[in-house]
Amino acid sequence: MTVQAPKNSFKSRLLAGEVQLGLWMSLGSAAAAEALSLVGYDWLLFDMEHAPVDPPQMQPLLQAAAAGVSQAVARPPWNDPVLIKRTLDVGAQTLLVPFVQSAEEAAAAVRAAKYPPQGIRGVAGLTRASRYGLAPDYFATANAQTCVLVQIETPAALSRIEEIALTPGVDGVFIGPSDLGASMGHLGRPGTAEVQDAIRGAADTLRDLQKPAGILAVSAEDAERYLDWGYSFVAIGIDMSLLLRAAKARLDHFTDAMPGNTPG
Ligand SMILES: O=C(O)C(=O)C[C@H](O)[C@@H](O)CO
């Protein structure tokens, strides 16, 4: 049997300019990853920055997602070569690197994600990434199949969006509305007009640069607006909030209907 190195269809579709709809995964649950990967989202974002997930917990999430149709995107907790290497070793092929503030930091993220000569990623032969060493074409294809997305979260980074986006090896730029809003003085209010104007401006710049733009939308209305503005890889919801909303609506349906209860 010939084992082939994994292909990254998220990256090929991203570079072809296709719109890809994602779901932000914060539960850290392999069952949720498997089930939601069967629903049909193009990609699932597994968060290590704000979810209780480290590289050892990431591997079962990626294995579970592989049972379905969604491509996995992993967000390491920081732009750190060790964390990036370990996230790639367990099989992530697409990284969303948080808090990239400059072209230098974008270049460091790319270097951490690529094997020499393009980068400094350490070599391990028997990881899940290389199909446990069974894929003879792994090292020849790994750098090209690795996708680096960088996250812009502050006005300082926005002011350097062109140089960050054009850094060799950066495949796409992702805007974090919550952190951008917070750093603009609107903590917890990413819907503020000033923040939304900045998000729209970023989309315009990235379109001019022909660089794929991504974002997280917490509501369907936000997602529709971001897609209209040209964002192409959009997380259109968060697993935890979908769960809570459905659970609350179900409870409300029954408690509101109980004798003696008034709706609201
Ligand atoms: O700035 C943002 O927005 C993000 O980076 C996403 C957040 O971390 C959070 O909303 C994920 O649950």
Side-chain angles (χ1 to χ4, degrees):
M1 169 178 165
T2 307
V3 178
Q4 295 209 318
K7 300 277 184 297
N8 188 342
S9 66
F10 175 89
K11 182 173 182 178
S12 52
R13 293 182 64 194
L14 182 85
L15 299 183
E18 287 184 40
V19 169
Q20 299 187 83
L21 302 179
L23 186 65
W24 196 273
M25 304 288 286
S26 55
L27 290 172
S29 154
E34 184 179 23
L36 290 167
S37 183
L38 291 162
V39 166
Y41 285 88
D42 296 309
W43 53 285
L44 301 178
L45 181 292
F46 294 104
D47 191 15
M48 302 164 83
E49 184 183 357
H50 290 300
V53 176
D54 285 324
Q57 291 93 41
M58 179 60 80
Q59 179 157 307
L61 297 179
L62 297 173
Q63 289 166 323
V69 300
S70 306
Q71 291 277 291
V73 179
R75 180 166 78 166
W78 193 243
N79 185 2
D80 173 275
V82 175
L83 295 167
I84 287 175
K85 168 175 58 183
R86 298 197 69 206
T87 304
L88 292 168
D89 277 353
V90 296
Q93 289 189 297
T94 300
L95 298 171
L96 174 57
V97 181
F99 209 78
V100 169
Q101 294 282 85
S102 64
E104 290 71 28
E105 291 182 13
V110 172
R111 269 198 310 280
K114 307 278 180 162
Y115 289 119
Q118 287 99 322
I120 58 162
R121 180 179 171 191
V123 177
L126 299 176
T127 58
R128 181 168 180 269
S130 67
R131 301 230 197 267
Y132 307 101
L134 297 171
D137 58 340
Y138 172 68
F139 285 118
T141 58
N143 280 356
Q145 295 300 322
T146 301
C147 180
V148 179
L149 311 169
V150 295
Q151 183 169 350
I152 282 187
E153 317 194 38
T154 66
L158 260 189
S159 72
R160 300 186 201 108
I161 190 167
E162 292 198 20
E163 61 189 77
I164 291 171
L166 295 177
T167 300
V170 168
D171 298 302
V173 175
F174 184 95
I175 306 298
S178 296
D179 288 302
L180 180 61
S183 63
M184 292 173 73
H186 303 292
L187 177 61
R189 298 185 306 277
T192 304
E194 188 189 3
V195 182
Q196 291 294 309
D197 287 348
I199 290 172
R200 186 173 196 161
D204 291 342
T205 304
L206 292 167
R207 188 187 313 106
D208 290 347
L209 298 173
Q210 299 187 319
K211 189 59 72 172
I215 195 160
L216 167 61
V218 294
S219 71
E221 296 72 30
D222 284 349
E224 281 162 4
R225 196 171 59 253
Y226 296 149
L227 287 161
D228 277 352
W229 289 349
Y231 284 91
S232 69
F233 59 107
V234 178
I236 59 176
I238 303 177
D239 57 356
M240 177 72 89
S241 65
L242 294 177
L243 177 66
L244 292 178
R245 202 168 311 140
K248 173 132 184 18
R250 179 63 58 94
L251 182 62
D252 287 349
H253 176 82
F254 282 92
T255 52
D256 290 349
M258 285 169 114
N261 281 359
T262 46

PDB file of all heavy atoms in Angstrom, residues 43-56:
ATOM      1  N   TRP A  43     -14.352  24.572   6.742  1.00  0.00           N
ATOM      2  CA  TRP A  43     -13.217  24.494   7.665  1.00  0.00           C
ATOM      3  C   TRP A  43     -13.697  24.675   9.096  1.00  0.00           C
ATOM      4  O   TRP A  43     -14.733  25.303   9.357  1.00  0.00           O
ATOM      5  CB  TRP A  43     -12.133  25.525   7.325  1.00  0.00           C
ATOM      6  CG  TRP A  43     -12.565  26.958   7.202  1.00  0.00           C
ATOM      7  CD1 TRP A  43     -13.256  27.520   6.156  1.00  0.00           C
ATOM      8  CD2 TRP A  43     -12.346  28.023   8.148  1.00  0.00           C
ATOM      9  NE1 TRP A  43     -13.466  28.873   6.401  1.00  0.00           N
ATOM     10  CE2 TRP A  43     -12.916  29.200   7.607  1.00  0.00           C
ATOM     11  CE3 TRP A  43     -11.708  28.108   9.371  1.00  0.00           C
ATOM     12  CZ2 TRP A  43     -12.876  30.439   8.260  1.00  0.00           C
ATOM     13  CZ3 TRP A  43     -11.663  29.341  10.027  1.00  0.00           C
ATOM     14  CH2 TRP A  43     -12.237  30.481   9.468  1.00  0.00           C
ATOM     15  N   LEU A  44     -12.940  24.090   9.989  1.00  0.00           N
ATOM     16  CA  LEU A  44     -13.169  24.240  11.428  1.00  0.00           C
ATOM     17  C   LEU A  44     -11.902  24.840  12.021  1.00  0.00           C
ATOM     18  O   LEU A  44     -10.795  24.358  11.735  1.00  0.00           O
ATOM     19  CB  LEU A  44     -13.437  22.880  12.082  1.00  0.00           C
ATOM     20  CG  LEU A  44     -14.636  22.076  11.551  1.00  0.00           C
ATOM     21  CD1 LEU A  44     -14.712  20.733  12.279  1.00  0.00           C
ATOM     22  CD2 LEU A  44     -15.939  22.840  11.721  1.00  0.00           C
ATOM     23  N   LEU A  45     -12.072  25.902  12.814  1.00  0.00           N
ATOM     24  CA  LEU A  45     -10.915  26.526  13.472  1.00  0.00           C
ATOM     25  C   LEU A  45     -10.797  25.958  14.879  1.00  0.00           C
ATOM     26  O   LEU A  45     -11.708  26.142  15.696  1.00  0.00           O
ATOM     27  CB  LEU A  45     -11.116  28.051  13.520  1.00  0.00           C
ATOM     28  CG  LEU A  45     -10.042  28.944  14.135  1.00  0.00           C
ATOM     29  CD1 LEU A  45      -9.867  28.785  15.655  1.00  0.00           C
ATOM     30  CD2 LEU A  45      -8.689  28.747  13.476  1.00  0.00           C
ATOM     31  N   PHE A  46      -9.693  25.279  15.159  1.00  0.00           N
ATOM     32  CA  PHE A  46      -9.447  24.751  16.503  1.00  0.00           C
ATOM     33  C   PHE A  46      -8.539  25.722  17.246  1.00  0.00           C
ATOM     34  O   PHE A  46      -7.394  25.942  16.862  1.00  0.00           O
ATOM     35  CB  PHE A  46      -8.831  23.352  16.413  1.00  0.00           C
ATOM     36  CG  PHE A  46      -9.796  22.354  15.833  1.00  0.00           C
ATOM     37  CD1 PHE A  46      -9.652  21.919  14.529  1.00  0.00           C
ATOM     38  CD2 PHE A  46     -10.863  21.896  16.580  1.00  0.00           C
ATOM     39  CE1 PHE A  46     -10.555  21.016  13.981  1.00  0.00           C
ATOM     40  CE2 PHE A  46     -11.780  21.001  16.040  1.00  0.00           C
ATOM     41  CZ  PHE A  46     -11.629  20.564  14.739  1.00  0.00           C
ATOM     42  N   ASP A  47      -9.087  26.285  18.299  1.00  0.00           N
ATOM     43  CA  ASP A  47      -8.420  27.389  18.992  1.00  0.00           C
ATOM     44  C   ASP A  47      -7.588  26.881  20.167  1.00  0.00           C
ATOM     45  O   ASP A  47      -8.097  26.217  21.063  1.00  0.00           O
ATOM     46  CB  ASP A  47      -9.491  28.369  19.497  1.00  0.00           C
ATOM     47  CG  ASP A  47      -8.888  29.667  20.000  1.00  0.00           C
ATOM     48  OD1 ASP A  47      -7.702  29.928  19.712  1.00  0.00           O
ATOM     49  OD2 ASP A  47      -9.604  30.431  20.674  1.00  0.00           O
ATOM     50  N   MET A  48      -6.312  27.201  20.150  1.00  0.00           N
ATOM     51  CA  MET A  48      -5.444  26.888  21.288  1.00  0.00           C
ATOM     52  C   MET A  48      -5.144  28.142  22.102  1.00  0.00           C
ATOM     53  O   MET A  48      -4.518  28.056  23.152  1.00  0.00           O
ATOM     54  CB  MET A  48      -4.116  26.292  20.797  1.00  0.00           C
ATOM     55  CG  MET A  48      -4.294  25.045  19.955  1.00  0.00           C
ATOM     56  SD  MET A  48      -2.793  24.672  19.025  1.00  0.00           S
ATOM     57  CE  MET A  48      -1.860  23.814  20.258  1.00  0.00           C
ATOM     58  N   GLU A  49      -5.563  29.313  21.584  1.00  0.00           N
ATOM     59  CA  GLU A  49      -5.261  30.548  22.309  1.00  0.00           C
ATOM     60  C   GLU A  49      -6.218  30.724  23.486  1.00  0.00           C
ATOM     61  O   GLU A  49      -5.791  31.078  24.588  1.00  0.00           O
ATOM     62  CB  GLU A  49      -5.338  31.761  21.375  1.00  0.00           C
ATOM     63  CG  GLU A  49      -4.928  33.051  22.075  1.00  0.00           C
ATOM     64  CD  GLU A  49      -5.056  34.297  21.215  1.00  0.00           C
ATOM     65  OE1 GLU A  49      -5.413  34.211  20.031  1.00  0.00           O
ATOM     66  OE2 GLU A  49      -4.787  35.389  21.757  1.00  0.00           O
ATOM     67  N   HIS A  50      -7.492  30.493  23.246  1.00  0.00           N
ATOM     68  CA  HIS A  50      -8.481  30.757  24.296  1.00  0.00           C
ATOM     69  C   HIS A  50      -9.303  29.535  24.677  1.00  0.00           C
ATOM     70  O   HIS A  50     -10.257  29.665  25.442  1.00  0.00           O
ATOM     71  CB  HIS A  50      -9.420  31.883  23.861  1.00  0.00           C
ATOM     72  CG  HIS A  50      -8.763  33.218  23.810  1.00  0.00           C
ATOM     73  ND1 HIS A  50      -8.182  33.817  24.906  1.00  0.00           N
ATOM     74  CD2 HIS A  50      -8.563  34.080  22.781  1.00  0.00           C
ATOM     75  CE1 HIS A  50      -7.671  34.988  24.560  1.00  0.00           C
ATOM     76  NE2 HIS A  50      -7.878  35.172  23.268  1.00  0.00           N
ATOM     77  N   ALA A  51      -8.989  28.375  24.127  1.00  0.00           N
ATOM     78  CA  ALA A  51      -9.691  27.145  24.515  1.00  0.00           C
ATOM     79  C   ALA A  51      -8.691  26.256  25.264  1.00  0.00           C
ATOM     80  O   ALA A  51      -7.483  26.389  25.076  1.00  0.00           O
ATOM     81  CB  ALA A  51     -10.220  26.428  23.273  1.00  0.00           C
ATOM     82  N   PRO A  52      -9.193  25.352  26.108  1.00  0.00           N
ATOM     83  CA  PRO A  52      -8.275  24.495  26.885  1.00  0.00           C
ATOM     84  C   PRO A  52      -7.688  23.392  26.019  1.00  0.00           C
ATOM     85  O   PRO A  52      -7.951  22.205  26.203  1.00  0.00           O
ATOM     86  CB  PRO A  52      -9.176  23.945  27.998  1.00  0.00           C
ATOM     87  CG  PRO A  52     -10.550  23.978  27.426  1.00  0.00           C
ATOM     88  CD  PRO A  52     -10.600  25.117  26.452  1.00  0.00           C
ATOM     89  N   VAL A  53      -6.899  23.794  25.022  1.00  0.00           N
ATOM     90  CA  VAL A  53      -6.320  22.862  24.054  1.00  0.00           C
ATOM     91  C   VAL A  53      -4.835  23.159  23.892  1.00  0.00           C
ATOM     92  O   VAL A  53      -4.458  24.283  23.526  1.00  0.00           O
ATOM     93  CB  VAL A  53      -7.034  22.990  22.674  1.00  0.00           C
ATOM     94  CG1 VAL A  53      -6.380  22.096  21.633  1.00  0.00           C
ATOM     95  CG2 VAL A  53      -8.526  22.674  22.796  1.00  0.00           C
ATOM     96  N   ASP A  54      -4.007  22.182  24.165  1.00  0.00           N
ATOM     97  CA  ASP A  54      -2.567  22.240  23.904  1.00  0.00           C
ATOM     98  C   ASP A  54      -2.265  21.216  22.807  1.00  0.00           C
ATOM     99  O   ASP A  54      -3.150  20.445  22.430  1.00  0.00           O
ATOM    100  CB  ASP A  54      -1.786  21.924  25.185  1.00  0.00           C
ATOM    101  CG  ASP A  54      -1.809  23.101  26.155  1.00  0.00           C
ATOM    102  OD1 ASP A  54      -1.773  24.251  25.682  1.00  0.00           O
ATOM    103  OD2 ASP A  54      -1.875  22.857  27.365  1.00  0.00           O
ATOM    104  N   PRO A  55      -1.022  21.155  22.307  1.00  0.00           N
ATOM    105  CA  PRO A  55      -0.770  20.190  21.218  1.00  0.00           C
ATOM    106  C   PRO A  55      -1.243  18.765  21.514  1.00  0.00           C
ATOM    107  O   PRO A  55      -1.822  18.134  20.627  1.00  0.00           O
ATOM    108  CB  PRO A  55       0.740  20.296  21.006  1.00  0.00           C
ATOM    109  CG  PRO A  55       1.043  21.718  21.357  1.00  0.00           C
ATOM    110  CD  PRO A  55       0.144  22.048  22.519  1.00  0.00           C
ATOM    111  N   PRO A  56      -1.062  18.215  22.722  1.00  0.00           N
ATOM    112  CA  PRO A  56      -1.548  16.837  22.941  1.00  0.00           C
ATOM    113  C   PRO A  56      -3.061  16.696  22.779  1.00  0.00           C
ATOM    114  O   PRO A  56      -3.544  15.651  22.359  1.00  0.00           O
ATOM    115  CB  PRO A  56      -1.140  16.525  24.384  1.00  0.00           C
ATOM    116  CG  PRO A  56      -0.021  17.468  24.676  1.00  0.00           C
ATOM    117  CD  PRO A  56      -0.303  18.712  23.890  1.00  0.00           C
TER     118      PRO A  56
END
